[in-house]
mmCIF file of all heavy atoms in Angstrom:
data_model
loop_
_atom_site.group_PDB
_atom_site.id
_atom_site.type_symbol
_atom_site.label_atom_id
_atom_site.label_comp_id
_atom_site.label_asym_id
_atom_site.label_seq_id
_atom_site.Cartn_x
_atom_site.Cartn_y
_atom_site.Cartn_z
ATOM 1 N N HIS A 1 19.893 -4.561 29.779
ATOM 2 C CA HIS A 1 20.069 -3.343 29.204
ATOM 3 C C HIS A 1 20.755 -3.348 27.733
ATOM 4 O O HIS A 1 21.457 -2.377 27.409
ATOM 5 C CB HIS A 1 20.992 -2.401 30.153
ATOM 6 C CG HIS A 1 20.401 -2.315 31.552
ATOM 7 N ND1 HIS A 1 19.299 -1.647 31.859
ATOM 8 C CD2 HIS A 1 20.855 -2.825 32.683
ATOM 9 C CE1 HIS A 1 19.087 -1.723 33.166
ATOM 10 N NE2 HIS A 1 19.987 -2.483 33.724
ATOM 11 N N ALA A 2 20.414 -4.415 27.094
ATOM 12 C CA ALA A 2 20.854 -4.480 25.615
ATOM 13 C C ALA A 2 19.572 -4.325 24.842
ATOM 14 O O ALA A 2 18.490 -4.092 25.358
ATOM 15 C CB ALA A 2 21.583 -5.791 25.442
ATOM 16 N N SER A 3 19.706 -4.467 23.508
ATOM 17 C CA SER A 3 18.589 -4.271 22.579
ATOM 18 C C SER A 3 17.783 -5.531 22.456
ATOM 19 O O SER A 3 18.272 -6.394 21.795
ATOM 20 C CB SER A 3 19.059 -3.740 21.256
ATOM 21 O OG SER A 3 17.920 -3.705 20.316
ATOM 22 N N GLY A 4 16.661 -5.579 22.992
ATOM 23 C CA GLY A 4 15.750 -6.752 22.850
ATOM 24 C C GLY A 4 15.384 -6.900 21.337
ATOM 25 O O GLY A 4 15.160 -8.116 20.873
ATOM 26 N N LEU A 5 15.214 -5.868 20.619
ATOM 27 C CA LEU A 5 14.803 -5.909 19.170
ATOM 28 C C LEU A 5 15.926 -6.569 18.383
ATOM 29 O O LEU A 5 15.667 -7.448 17.471
ATOM 30 C CB LEU A 5 14.362 -4.536 18.659
ATOM 31 C CG LEU A 5 13.270 -3.861 19.384
ATOM 32 C CD1 LEU A 5 13.010 -2.496 18.658
ATOM 33 C CD2 LEU A 5 12.050 -4.671 19.371
ATOM 34 N N VAL A 6 17.115 -6.216 18.614
ATOM 35 C CA VAL A 6 18.244 -6.804 17.916
ATOM 36 C C VAL A 6 18.406 -8.290 18.125
ATOM 37 O O VAL A 6 18.641 -9.103 17.399
ATOM 38 C CB VAL A 6 19.590 -6.045 18.216
ATOM 39 C CG1 VAL A 6 20.783 -6.817 17.604
ATOM 40 C CG2 VAL A 6 19.443 -4.591 17.602
ATOM 41 N N ALA A 7 18.161 -8.608 19.526
ATOM 42 C CA ALA A 7 18.236 -10.015 19.904
ATOM 43 C C ALA A 7 17.193 -10.846 19.095
ATOM 44 O O ALA A 7 17.418 -11.982 18.592
ATOM 45 C CB ALA A 7 18.003 -10.178 21.416
ATOM 46 N N ALA A 8 15.961 -10.330 19.040
ATOM 47 C CA ALA A 8 14.984 -10.975 18.310
ATOM 48 C C ALA A 8 15.175 -11.175 16.788
ATOM 49 O O ALA A 8 15.000 -12.183 16.179
ATOM 50 C CB ALA A 8 13.570 -10.239 18.402
ATOM 51 N N VAL A 9 15.882 -10.053 16.205
ATOM 52 C CA VAL A 9 16.268 -10.201 14.786
ATOM 53 C C VAL A 9 17.367 -11.190 14.621
ATOM 54 O O VAL A 9 17.214 -12.021 13.600
ATOM 55 C CB VAL A 9 16.806 -8.731 14.325
ATOM 56 C CG1 VAL A 9 17.450 -8.847 12.951
ATOM 57 C CG2 VAL A 9 15.652 -7.772 14.263
ATOM 58 N N VAL A 10 18.333 -11.215 15.434
ATOM 59 C CA VAL A 10 19.378 -12.289 15.224
ATOM 60 C C VAL A 10 18.872 -13.632 15.442
ATOM 61 O O VAL A 10 19.249 -14.550 14.704
ATOM 62 C CB VAL A 10 20.522 -11.925 16.220
ATOM 63 C CG1 VAL A 10 21.607 -13.105 16.312
ATOM 64 C CG2 VAL A 10 21.227 -10.598 16.003
ATOM 65 N N ALA A 11 17.964 -13.806 16.388
ATOM 66 C CA ALA A 11 17.345 -15.086 16.601
ATOM 67 C C ALA A 11 16.629 -15.528 15.282
ATOM 68 O O ALA A 11 16.603 -16.696 14.871
ATOM 69 C CB ALA A 11 16.464 -15.110 17.785
ATOM 70 N N GLY A 12 15.916 -14.542 14.751
ATOM 71 C CA GLY A 12 15.194 -14.880 13.536
ATOM 72 C C GLY A 12 16.146 -15.191 12.252
ATOM 73 O O GLY A 12 15.807 -16.116 11.555
ATOM 74 N N ILE A 13 17.259 -14.603 12.173
ATOM 75 C CA ILE A 13 18.175 -14.746 11.011
ATOM 76 C C ILE A 13 18.815 -16.200 11.222
ATOM 77 O O ILE A 13 18.840 -16.947 10.240
ATOM 78 C CB ILE A 13 19.274 -13.742 11.044
ATOM 79 C CG1 ILE A 13 18.731 -12.372 10.583
ATOM 80 C CG2 ILE A 13 20.391 -14.125 10.106
ATOM 81 C CD1 ILE A 13 19.759 -11.233 10.794
ATOM 82 N N VAL A 14 19.134 -16.521 12.472
ATOM 83 C CA VAL A 14 19.751 -17.848 12.714
ATOM 84 C C VAL A 14 18.619 -18.976 12.354
ATOM 85 O O VAL A 14 18.988 -19.906 11.767
ATOM 86 C CB VAL A 14 20.231 -17.941 14.152
ATOM 87 C CG1 VAL A 14 20.588 -19.442 14.560
ATOM 88 C CG2 VAL A 14 21.432 -17.049 14.429
ATOM 89 N N THR A 15 17.475 -18.768 12.887
ATOM 90 C CA THR A 15 16.423 -19.617 12.642
ATOM 91 C C THR A 15 16.031 -19.793 11.169
ATOM 92 O O THR A 15 15.905 -20.953 10.606
ATOM 93 C CB THR A 15 15.129 -19.263 13.347
ATOM 94 O OG1 THR A 15 15.407 -19.142 14.769
ATOM 95 C CG2 THR A 15 13.910 -20.223 13.102
ATOM 96 N N GLY A 16 16.004 -18.699 10.382
ATOM 97 C CA GLY A 16 15.639 -18.782 9.019
ATOM 98 C C GLY A 16 16.677 -19.520 8.225
ATOM 99 O O GLY A 16 16.391 -20.201 7.210
ATOM 100 N N ARG A 17 17.910 -19.358 8.542
ATOM 101 C CA ARG A 17 19.060 -19.911 7.848
ATOM 102 C C ARG A 17 19.194 -21.461 8.182
ATOM 103 O O ARG A 17 19.500 -22.216 7.220
ATOM 104 C CB ARG A 17 20.445 -19.251 8.205
ATOM 105 C CG ARG A 17 21.574 -19.718 7.303
ATOM 106 C CD ARG A 17 22.757 -18.827 7.542
ATOM 107 N NE ARG A 17 23.885 -19.247 6.608
ATOM 108 C CZ ARG A 17 24.725 -20.190 7.048
ATOM 109 N NH1 ARG A 17 24.587 -20.880 8.084
ATOM 110 N NH2 ARG A 17 25.710 -20.534 6.155
ATOM 111 N N ARG A 18 18.954 -21.794 9.358
ATOM 112 C CA ARG A 18 19.195 -23.241 9.747
ATOM 113 C C ARG A 18 17.949 -24.057 9.721
ATOM 114 O O ARG A 18 18.048 -25.241 9.610
ATOM 115 C CB ARG A 18 19.726 -23.305 11.272
ATOM 116 C CG ARG A 18 21.087 -22.605 11.449
ATOM 117 C CD ARG A 18 22.267 -23.583 11.038
ATOM 118 N NE ARG A 18 22.063 -24.871 11.696
ATOM 119 C CZ ARG A 18 22.736 -25.874 11.419
ATOM 120 N NH1 ARG A 18 23.547 -25.948 10.344
ATOM 121 N NH2 ARG A 18 22.689 -27.001 12.153
ATOM 122 N N ALA A 19 16.761 -23.479 9.786
ATOM 123 C CA ALA A 19 15.451 -24.393 9.881
ATOM 124 C C ALA A 19 15.300 -25.335 8.727
ATOM 125 O O ALA A 19 14.975 -26.515 9.037
ATOM 126 C CB ALA A 19 14.324 -23.409 10.044
ATOM 127 N N PRO A 20 15.543 -24.924 7.457
ATOM 128 C CA PRO A 20 15.337 -25.908 6.367
ATOM 129 C C PRO A 20 16.315 -27.173 6.505
ATOM 130 O O PRO A 20 15.974 -28.181 5.993
ATOM 131 C CB PRO A 20 15.797 -25.040 5.099
ATOM 132 C CG PRO A 20 15.521 -23.703 5.533
ATOM 133 C CD PRO A 20 15.929 -23.579 6.929
ATOM 134 N N ARG A 21 17.390 -27.009 7.253
ATOM 135 C CA ARG A 21 18.232 -28.285 7.362
ATOM 136 C C ARG A 21 17.880 -29.008 8.669
ATOM 137 O O ARG A 21 18.352 -30.140 8.840
ATOM 138 C CB ARG A 21 19.681 -27.762 7.437
ATOM 139 C CG ARG A 21 20.204 -27.162 6.242
ATOM 140 C CD ARG A 21 21.726 -26.957 6.381
ATOM 141 N NE ARG A 21 22.324 -26.282 5.220
ATOM 142 C CZ ARG A 21 22.711 -26.821 4.082
ATOM 143 N NH1 ARG A 21 22.693 -28.082 4.024
ATOM 144 N NH2 ARG A 21 23.277 -26.061 3.124
ATOM 145 N N VAL A 22 17.090 -28.421 9.701
ATOM 146 C CA VAL A 22 16.967 -29.077 10.896
ATOM 147 C C VAL A 22 15.414 -29.432 11.122
ATOM 148 O O VAL A 22 15.104 -30.533 11.599
ATOM 149 C CB VAL A 22 17.234 -27.999 11.984
ATOM 150 C CG1 VAL A 22 16.789 -28.551 13.319
ATOM 151 C CG2 VAL A 22 18.711 -27.660 11.900
ATOM 152 N N LEU A 23 14.540 -28.648 10.627
ATOM 153 C CA LEU A 23 13.002 -28.879 10.858
ATOM 154 C C LEU A 23 12.432 -29.754 9.743
ATOM 155 O O LEU A 23 12.922 -29.633 8.645
ATOM 156 C CB LEU A 23 12.224 -27.541 11.216
ATOM 157 C CG LEU A 23 12.669 -26.638 12.202
ATOM 158 C CD1 LEU A 23 11.843 -25.493 12.364
ATOM 159 C CD2 LEU A 23 12.743 -27.453 13.548
ATOM 160 N N SER A 24 11.402 -30.424 10.075
ATOM 161 C CA SER A 24 10.747 -31.229 9.042
ATOM 162 C C SER A 24 9.883 -30.276 8.115
ATOM 163 O O SER A 24 9.639 -29.113 8.422
ATOM 164 C CB SER A 24 9.766 -32.291 9.710
ATOM 165 O OG SER A 24 8.685 -31.554 10.322
ATOM 166 N N ALA A 25 9.595 -30.846 6.944
ATOM 167 C CA ALA A 25 8.726 -30.025 5.952
ATOM 168 C C ALA A 25 7.445 -29.606 6.569
ATOM 169 O O ALA A 25 6.935 -28.528 6.395
ATOM 170 C CB ALA A 25 8.552 -30.873 4.718
ATOM 171 N N ARG A 26 6.792 -30.584 7.297
ATOM 172 C CA ARG A 26 5.454 -30.298 7.925
ATOM 173 C C ARG A 26 5.605 -29.185 8.969
ATOM 174 O O ARG A 26 4.756 -28.231 8.989
ATOM 175 C CB ARG A 26 4.984 -31.588 8.575
ATOM 176 C CG ARG A 26 3.427 -31.476 8.841
ATOM 177 C CD ARG A 26 3.084 -32.786 9.576
ATOM 178 N NE ARG A 26 3.314 -33.891 8.839
ATOM 179 C CZ ARG A 26 2.430 -34.475 8.031
ATOM 180 N NH1 ARG A 26 1.218 -33.967 7.808
ATOM 181 N NH2 ARG A 26 2.603 -35.559 7.381
ATOM 182 N N ASN A 27 6.709 -29.235 9.706
ATOM 183 C CA ASN A 27 6.833 -28.073 10.705
ATOM 184 C C ASN A 27 7.117 -26.767 10.118
ATOM 185 O O ASN A 27 6.596 -25.708 10.477
ATOM 186 C CB ASN A 27 8.010 -28.471 11.660
ATOM 187 C CG ASN A 27 7.659 -29.647 12.655
ATOM 188 O OD1 ASN A 27 6.466 -29.949 12.807
ATOM 189 N ND2 ASN A 27 8.673 -30.214 13.275
ATOM 190 N N ARG A 28 7.932 -26.816 9.009
ATOM 191 C CA ARG A 28 8.208 -25.461 8.351
ATOM 192 C C ARG A 28 6.970 -24.906 7.673
ATOM 193 O O ARG A 28 6.767 -23.696 7.724
ATOM 194 C CB ARG A 28 9.300 -25.626 7.227
ATOM 195 C CG ARG A 28 10.647 -25.970 7.898
ATOM 196 C CD ARG A 28 11.681 -25.848 6.828
ATOM 197 N NE ARG A 28 11.629 -26.761 5.635
ATOM 198 C CZ ARG A 28 11.998 -27.970 5.630
ATOM 199 N NH1 ARG A 28 12.606 -28.483 6.684
ATOM 200 N NH2 ARG A 28 11.829 -28.723 4.517
ATOM 201 N N LEU A 29 6.104 -25.798 7.103
ATOM 202 C CA LEU A 29 4.881 -25.412 6.449
ATOM 203 C C LEU A 29 3.952 -24.797 7.517
ATOM 204 O O LEU A 29 3.270 -23.637 7.331
ATOM 205 C CB LEU A 29 4.205 -26.423 5.795
ATOM 206 C CG LEU A 29 2.898 -26.171 5.095
ATOM 207 C CD1 LEU A 29 3.098 -25.091 3.996
ATOM 208 C CD2 LEU A 29 2.246 -27.350 4.509
ATOM 209 N N SER A 30 3.799 -25.429 8.641
ATOM 210 C CA SER A 30 2.902 -24.901 9.782
ATOM 211 C C SER A 30 3.535 -23.612 10.293
ATOM 212 O O SER A 30 2.760 -22.581 10.447
ATOM 213 C CB SER A 30 2.973 -25.911 10.959
ATOM 214 O OG SER A 30 2.282 -25.500 12.048
ATOM 215 N N ASP A 31 4.727 -23.408 10.442
ATOM 216 C CA ASP A 31 5.367 -22.204 10.780
ATOM 217 C C ASP A 31 5.046 -21.138 9.858
ATOM 218 O O ASP A 31 4.616 -19.920 10.252
ATOM 219 C CB ASP A 31 6.967 -22.262 10.904
ATOM 220 C CG ASP A 31 7.374 -22.762 12.218
ATOM 221 O OD1 ASP A 31 6.611 -23.111 13.072
ATOM 222 O OD2 ASP A 31 8.598 -22.643 12.572
ATOM 223 N N SER A 32 5.350 -21.340 8.612
ATOM 224 C CA SER A 32 4.975 -20.272 7.531
ATOM 225 C C SER A 32 3.577 -19.802 7.600
ATOM 226 O O SER A 32 3.334 -18.630 7.528
ATOM 227 C CB SER A 32 5.424 -20.914 6.167
ATOM 228 O OG SER A 32 5.093 -19.947 5.177
ATOM 229 N N GLN A 33 2.701 -20.751 7.588
ATOM 230 C CA GLN A 33 1.230 -20.326 7.541
ATOM 231 C C GLN A 33 0.866 -19.562 8.767
ATOM 232 O O GLN A 33 0.111 -18.514 8.724
ATOM 233 C CB GLN A 33 0.357 -21.604 7.327
ATOM 234 C CG GLN A 33 0.535 -22.262 5.911
ATOM 235 C CD GLN A 33 -0.183 -23.515 5.769
ATOM 236 O OE1 GLN A 33 -0.570 -24.182 6.822
ATOM 237 N NE2 GLN A 33 -0.592 -23.940 4.626
ATOM 238 N N ASN A 34 1.145 -20.049 9.991
ATOM 239 C CA ASN A 34 0.762 -19.382 11.167
ATOM 240 C C ASN A 34 1.452 -18.053 11.381
ATOM 241 O O ASN A 34 0.795 -17.171 11.906
ATOM 242 C CB ASN A 34 0.933 -20.339 12.361
ATOM 243 C CG ASN A 34 0.019 -21.546 12.389
ATOM 244 O OD1 ASN A 34 -1.146 -21.311 12.770
ATOM 245 N ND2 ASN A 34 0.436 -22.738 12.026
ATOM 246 N N TRP A 35 2.679 -18.016 11.063
ATOM 247 C CA TRP A 35 3.401 -16.706 11.227
ATOM 248 C C TRP A 35 2.856 -15.647 10.296
ATOM 249 O O TRP A 35 2.896 -14.509 10.626
ATOM 250 C CB TRP A 35 4.912 -16.902 11.042
ATOM 251 C CG TRP A 35 5.543 -17.190 12.383
ATOM 252 C CD1 TRP A 35 6.021 -18.416 12.832
ATOM 253 C CD2 TRP A 35 5.832 -16.377 13.425
ATOM 254 N NE1 TRP A 35 6.542 -18.371 14.127
ATOM 255 C CE2 TRP A 35 6.428 -17.135 14.522
ATOM 256 C CE3 TRP A 35 5.622 -14.915 13.669
ATOM 257 C CZ2 TRP A 35 6.912 -16.465 15.820
ATOM 258 C CZ3 TRP A 35 6.082 -14.477 14.879
ATOM 259 C CH2 TRP A 35 6.605 -15.121 15.852
ATOM 260 N N ARG A 36 2.475 -16.048 9.085
ATOM 261 C CA ARG A 36 1.774 -15.043 8.219
ATOM 262 C C ARG A 36 0.586 -14.451 8.837
ATOM 263 O O ARG A 36 0.291 -13.282 8.662
ATOM 264 C CB ARG A 36 1.518 -15.710 6.823
ATOM 265 C CG ARG A 36 2.754 -15.730 5.921
ATOM 266 C CD ARG A 36 2.278 -15.843 4.446
ATOM 267 N NE ARG A 36 1.639 -17.155 4.197
ATOM 268 C CZ ARG A 36 2.142 -18.235 3.789
ATOM 269 N NH1 ARG A 36 3.450 -18.323 3.724
ATOM 270 N NH2 ARG A 36 1.474 -19.349 3.566
ATOM 271 N N THR A 37 -0.196 -15.381 9.388
ATOM 272 C CA THR A 37 -1.439 -14.883 10.159
ATOM 273 C C THR A 37 -1.054 -13.879 11.322
ATOM 274 O O THR A 37 -1.650 -12.894 11.489
ATOM 275 C CB THR A 37 -2.204 -16.035 10.715
ATOM 276 O OG1 THR A 37 -2.463 -16.936 9.620
ATOM 277 C CG2 THR A 37 -3.483 -15.557 11.388
ATOM 278 N N VAL A 38 -0.040 -14.227 12.110
ATOM 279 C CA VAL A 38 0.409 -13.461 13.177
ATOM 280 C C VAL A 38 0.814 -12.046 12.647
ATOM 281 O O VAL A 38 0.507 -10.972 13.210
ATOM 282 C CB VAL A 38 1.543 -14.090 13.972
ATOM 283 C CG1 VAL A 38 2.209 -13.078 14.921
ATOM 284 C CG2 VAL A 38 1.027 -15.275 14.656
ATOM 285 N N GLU A 39 1.692 -12.064 11.547
ATOM 286 C CA GLU A 39 2.005 -10.786 10.967
ATOM 287 C C GLU A 39 0.898 -9.912 10.515
ATOM 288 O O GLU A 39 0.880 -8.664 10.811
ATOM 289 C CB GLU A 39 2.946 -11.061 9.741
ATOM 290 C CG GLU A 39 4.413 -11.409 10.065
ATOM 291 C CD GLU A 39 5.228 -11.605 8.825
ATOM 292 O OE1 GLU A 39 4.763 -11.359 7.643
ATOM 293 O OE2 GLU A 39 6.362 -11.907 8.884
ATOM 294 N N LEU A 40 -0.041 -10.484 9.879
ATOM 295 C CA LEU A 40 -1.185 -9.763 9.342
ATOM 296 C C LEU A 40 -1.999 -9.057 10.550
ATOM 297 O O LEU A 40 -2.296 -7.921 10.441
ATOM 298 C CB LEU A 40 -2.127 -10.721 8.689
ATOM 299 C CG LEU A 40 -3.445 -10.085 8.141
ATOM 300 C CD1 LEU A 40 -3.181 -9.021 7.110
ATOM 301 C CD2 LEU A 40 -4.387 -11.166 7.512
ATOM 302 N N VAL A 41 -2.239 -9.824 11.565
ATOM 303 C CA VAL A 41 -2.888 -9.290 12.679
ATOM 304 C C VAL A 41 -2.107 -8.196 13.482
ATOM 305 O O VAL A 41 -2.662 -7.138 13.813
ATOM 306 C CB VAL A 41 -3.366 -10.442 13.676
ATOM 307 C CG1 VAL A 41 -3.955 -9.837 14.963
ATOM 308 C CG2 VAL A 41 -4.344 -11.399 13.013
ATOM 309 N N LEU A 42 -0.923 -8.456 13.732
ATOM 310 C CA LEU A 42 -0.100 -7.532 14.538
ATOM 311 C C LEU A 42 0.242 -6.256 13.717
ATOM 312 O O LEU A 42 0.098 -5.162 14.223
ATOM 313 C CB LEU A 42 1.243 -8.173 14.991
ATOM 314 C CG LEU A 42 1.148 -9.206 16.011
ATOM 315 C CD1 LEU A 42 2.562 -9.647 16.345
ATOM 316 C CD2 LEU A 42 0.410 -8.778 17.267
ATOM 317 N N GLU A 43 0.562 -6.389 12.346
ATOM 318 C CA GLU A 43 0.732 -5.170 11.656
ATOM 319 C C GLU A 43 -0.577 -4.345 11.526
ATOM 320 O O GLU A 43 -0.501 -3.162 11.663
ATOM 321 C CB GLU A 43 1.217 -5.524 10.168
ATOM 322 C CG GLU A 43 2.578 -6.061 10.136
ATOM 323 C CD GLU A 43 3.040 -6.520 8.688
ATOM 324 O OE1 GLU A 43 2.171 -6.332 7.820
ATOM 325 O OE2 GLU A 43 4.180 -6.877 8.528
ATOM 326 N N GLY A 44 -1.710 -5.097 11.302
ATOM 327 C CA GLY A 44 -2.891 -4.339 11.225
ATOM 328 C C GLY A 44 -3.337 -3.695 12.577
ATOM 329 O O GLY A 44 -3.746 -2.493 12.562
ATOM 330 N N ALA A 45 -3.033 -4.307 13.603
ATOM 331 C CA ALA A 45 -3.303 -3.761 14.968
ATOM 332 C C ALA A 45 -2.390 -2.462 15.203
ATOM 333 O O ALA A 45 -2.927 -1.480 15.743
ATOM 334 C CB ALA A 45 -3.082 -4.772 16.100
ATOM 335 N N VAL A 46 -1.283 -2.528 14.721
ATOM 336 C CA VAL A 46 -0.275 -1.391 14.848
ATOM 337 C C VAL A 46 -0.869 -0.156 14.142
ATOM 338 O O VAL A 46 -0.910 1.020 14.663
ATOM 339 C CB VAL A 46 1.122 -1.687 14.394
ATOM 340 C CG1 VAL A 46 1.894 -0.428 14.161
ATOM 341 C CG2 VAL A 46 1.830 -2.668 15.387
#
């Protein structure tokens, strides 16, 4: 009974801040490209 949207946002902030120090360059590039596609499709569907 908490806010799922806030939980997703906080998880995103933590990931965005720490990922460049933790994940490899190849993984970050893959994330960036694929998430841009997901954003485009979901925003358009909305």
Side-chain angles (χ1 to χ4, degrees):
H1 305 289
S3 173
L5 300 182
V6 170
V9 168
V10 173
I13 292 174
V14 172
T15 301
R17 187 172 182 274
R18 295 280 303 164
R21 297 186 186 273
V22 174
L23 303 182
S24 69
R26 195 185 300 270
N27 288 345
R28 291 196 301 275
L29 179 63
S30 175
D31 270 14
S32 175
Q33 292 175 336
N34 285 285
W35 271 104
R36 279 202 296 270
T37 304
V38 170
E39 282 186 358
L40 176 66
V41 172
L42 292 182
E43 287 179 0
V46 165

